[in-house]
Amino acid sequence: FRRCKRMYQLQHLLGLQSNWSSTAIRYGVCYHGIQEGFHQHIKEFGWNDIPTALLKGLTLGKKLYEKESETKQFNDDYRNFNTAAEGMNRYLDHFAADQQYVKILGTESKFECPITADNELEHKILSRLPPIIFTGKIDLSVQMDHMNWIWDFKTTGWILDKVVMQAGRSPQMIGYSYAGERVLDFKPNGVIISFA
């Protein structure tokens, strides 16, 4: 609104949107779909049939990729379904030992969590505001070596070392830790982040 009142009117009041969309977001949606389909199958049937779990993941990822592609135009580049499938292949190679000590507890868990005061200062601040509801979606929850964790998948085209360094201070991850112990049926030990 501050930058251009006319653009605000066209986009937000009249609902006009560009025909172009983000190639990076479409890739991320696809990769998350592959992970979701794979881990949902593992959750339901165990680690005995990884090829079927992979097929489920690739099928869901392809479906989401095509759905994203239906109504918008993209600047096509390397961030496509084939690259997402290759990324999943590398993920499976890297985490090949998971089946020995990881149990899938949940996939793609949407949540709504009220932000509440934990001390007097927070109570003083929050009492002057309307109720605040933190919403999100936890990609995966796992039990690993008898400890429960939230597992988040990140896709990025940026400098990986910098993204990894910033992730520990990410408001999203801090929020997931806060919400996790309030909305899940267990208290997570923390958040594991897998970068692609």
Side-chain angles (χ1 to χ4, degrees):
F1 181 81
R2 285 187 208 131
R3 187 173 35 145
C4 178
K5 290 173 180 52
R6 180 69 170 152
M7 184 181 290
Y8 177 85
Q9 178 196 24
L10 292 172
Q11 288 183 344
H12 299 282
L13 299 179
L14 299 177
L16 299 176
Q17 299 295 320
S18 171
N19 290 335
W20 293 90
S21 192
S22 168
T23 305
I25 298 246
R26 177 178 64 172
Y27 177 83
V29 166
C30 174
Y31 186 77
H32 275 77
I34 294 171
Q35 290 285 357
E36 178 186 359
F38 175 83
H39 286 102
Q40 185 62 41
H41 184 82
I42 297 297
K43 179 181 182 255
E44 291 176 22
F45 301 103
W47 292 95
N48 299 326
D49 190 3
I50 291 177
T52 300
L54 181 57
L55 179 62
K56 297 277 183 159
L58 292 172
T59 301
L60 181 57
K62 182 73 169 173
K63 177 182 172 186
L64 294 173
Y65 185 86
E66 289 172 350
K67 183 177 179 191
E68 287 288 312
S69 302
E70 283 175 1
T71 59
K72 296 284 185 174
Q73 294 175 308
F74 296 88
N75 286 320
D76 289 322
D77 58 17
Y78 68 93
R79 295 169 293 187
N80 55 37
F81 173 75
N82 291 337
T83 306
E86 175 60 27
M88 183 62 181
N89 190 39
R90 290 183 182 199
Y91 173 89
L92 292 174
D93 286 345
H94 187 78
F95 294 103
D98 276 7
Q99 58 189 308
Q100 297 170 19
Y101 56 91
V102 172
K103 178 183 177 187
I104 308 302
L105 301 175
T107 62
E108 295 290 326
S109 306
K110 292 181 181 179
F111 66 86
E112 291 184 1
C113 176
I115 304 292
T116 58
D118 290 334
N119 57 50
E120 189 59 38
L121 176 62
E122 290 176 0
H123 178 70
K124 192 175 187 179
I125 293 169
L126 289 173
S127 66
R128 292 183 262 155
L129 298 172
I132 300 171
I133 306 295
F134 177 51
T135 63
K137 188 188 300 183
I138 295 174
D139 293 340
L140 190 64
S141 53
V142 300
Q143 184 178 79
M144 183 167 48
D145 291 332
H146 307 289
M147 294 173 26
N148 297 325
W149 300 86
I150 292 171
W151 194 315
D152 197 65
F153 300 108
K154 292 284 174 220
T155 56
T156 183
W158 212 58
I159 302 165
L160 191 56
D161 291 341
K162 290 191 177 203
V163 174
V164 170
M165 284 176 46
Q166 294 171 347
R169 297 185 312 270
S170 160
Q172 180 186 16
M173 296 307 116
I174 293 168
Y176 283 3
S177 294
Y178 175 85
E181 61 187 66
R182 290 162 175 81
V183 300
L184 297 171
D185 58 358
F186 61 85
K187 181 176 179 173
N189 289 304
V191 180
I192 298 169
I193 308 171
S194 173
F195 294 93

